[in-house]
């Protein structure tokens, strides 16, 4: 578009690439940035630079952190012998928000997906296996998503872990708390019946 | 949140400030940036820096540009004696997209709004009045929004411009093209009847 200044157009394009951001939102965001006092705009640029440069993977659990070990792995009260395997750092944040889990995590940074050419070697499987012995891991909880890729990844990892004498568990499936039974989908309902518990 | 790396949290906060972006979207955007190859992430930071540093107001029409004069003002075929007054650069883009208007623009960068403490001196009114004589402006089209502030601003400007011998016009109000009459609001319908044209 000839009538837009080149740096503005470039900024809109950059924002537009992000997930969930369409042309209109990207445009609104770009104009917001332009409307900021210059130092605030530059602070945003700096925040992106910092995030790109400073954040790396935790040596132990591969969570995103600026230190060698992430705050969870380096926390003295977290149980290192209990490991929760998640697909990405966002899933970790979701579990961490419950404030219930006192073990540590392992972030795979993806799932096995032959269709997208992602194999176990692209994930942090090696790092997971390497922690089992030194940390005396007794149980690994598979918290991958319940889609095909997530299930396959959980299955794959459990086959590697079980021979090492590790208990492998999976998050429970069932009705979401507060949901109405009549609106539950049949797969979830089937799982809820299968996984019923004694009262 | 203790479990998030500080630069990541900072980035999420920066994104969250933008219009139309909630916590969840900001988080997704931040993780997207982290997932980018480092040079692409830095390119985004650079785009923001460039936009903040390089873009300024066009000397003539106050549109956002990197040059002294924006592409529209410096275009030899644009009619400088016909000026369309808009509230902001986004409105300019919307009109420019129609590819119909061959005059030039004047970007106010706001509207008169006593409630928010915005007076004519905060807008580019002075710059507008200064162009009238040198550019032999014959007509000014008010394309401010049809809310109270937009109407008041148009009225204010027209009172300044008319004594200078300039024709002042306003965008037509009526039914949007392709709309269904029964769903039109009564104000729009009233305006459409008032502004009816001979067939």
């Amino acid at each position: 578009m000839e009538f837009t200044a080149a740096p503005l157009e470039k900024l809109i394009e950059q924002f537009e690439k992000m997930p969930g951001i369409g042309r209109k939102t990207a445009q609104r965001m770009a104009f917001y940035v332009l409307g900021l006092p210059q130092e605030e705009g530059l602070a945003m640029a700096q925040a992106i630079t910092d995030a790109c440069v400073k954040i790396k993977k935790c040596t132990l659990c591969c969570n995103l952190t600026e230190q060698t070990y992430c705050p969870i792995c380096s926390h003295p009260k977290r149980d290192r012998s209990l490991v929760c395997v998640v697909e990405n750092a966002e899933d970790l944040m979701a579990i961490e928000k419950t404030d219930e889990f006192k073990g540590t995590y392992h972030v795979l940074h993806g799932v096995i997906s032959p269709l997208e050419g992602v194999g176990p070697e692209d994930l942090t499987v090696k790092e997971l296996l390497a922690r089992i012995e030194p940390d005396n891991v007794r149980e690994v909880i598979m918290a991958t998503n319940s889609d095909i890729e997530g299930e396959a990844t959980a299955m794959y990892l459990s086959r590697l872990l079980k021979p090492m004498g590790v208990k492998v568990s999976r998050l429970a499936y069932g009705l979401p708390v507060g949901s109405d039974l009549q609106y539950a989908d049949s797969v979830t309902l089937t799982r809820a019946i299968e996984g019923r518990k004694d009262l």
Side-chain angles (χ1 to χ4, degrees), chain A residues 42-161:
Chain A
L42 295 179
M44 182 177 293
Q46 192 58 46
I48 294 180
T49 307
D50 283 352
C52 290
V53 173
K54 288 188 189 163
I55 292 184
K56 48 190 191 234
K57 287 178 189 170
C58 166
T59 312
L60 199 66
C61 76
C62 303
N63 184 17
L64 301 169
T65 179
E66 1 161 35
Q67 269 92 39
T68 314
Y69 293 101
C70 77
I72 297 171
C73 286
S74 52
H75 199 287
K77 288 208 176 143
R78 304 295 292 236
D79 182 0
R80 285 217 197 170
S81 70
L82 178 62
V83 175
C84 179
V85 174
V86 289
E87 290 182 17
N88 50 49
E90 286 149 290
D91 292 346
L92 183 155
M93 283 172 81
I95 299 182
E96 199 61 7
K97 259 185 209 149
T98 66
D99 228 357
E100 280 298 319
F101 183 65
K102 298 300 172 209
T104 53
Y105 295 90
H106 194 83
V107 184
L108 290 175
H109 291 288
V111 271
I112 298 172
S113 168
L115 278 176
E116 288 176 28
V118 182
E121 64 284 356
D122 301 311
L123 310 177
T124 61
V125 176
K126 216 170 55 201
E127 288 86 344
L128 174 63
L129 299 179
R131 357 183 350 193
I132 302 297
E133 233 183 296
D135 276 346
N136 271 321
V137 176
R138 54 183 169 87
E139 181 173 352
V140 173
I141 305 169
M142 293 295 162
T144 51
N145 284 326
S146 58
D147 51 16
I148 297 175
E149 287 86 0
E151 292 287 1
T153 307
M155 203 57 87
Y156 174 84
L157 291 176
S158 99
R159 278 193 198 156
L160 289 179
L161 291 166

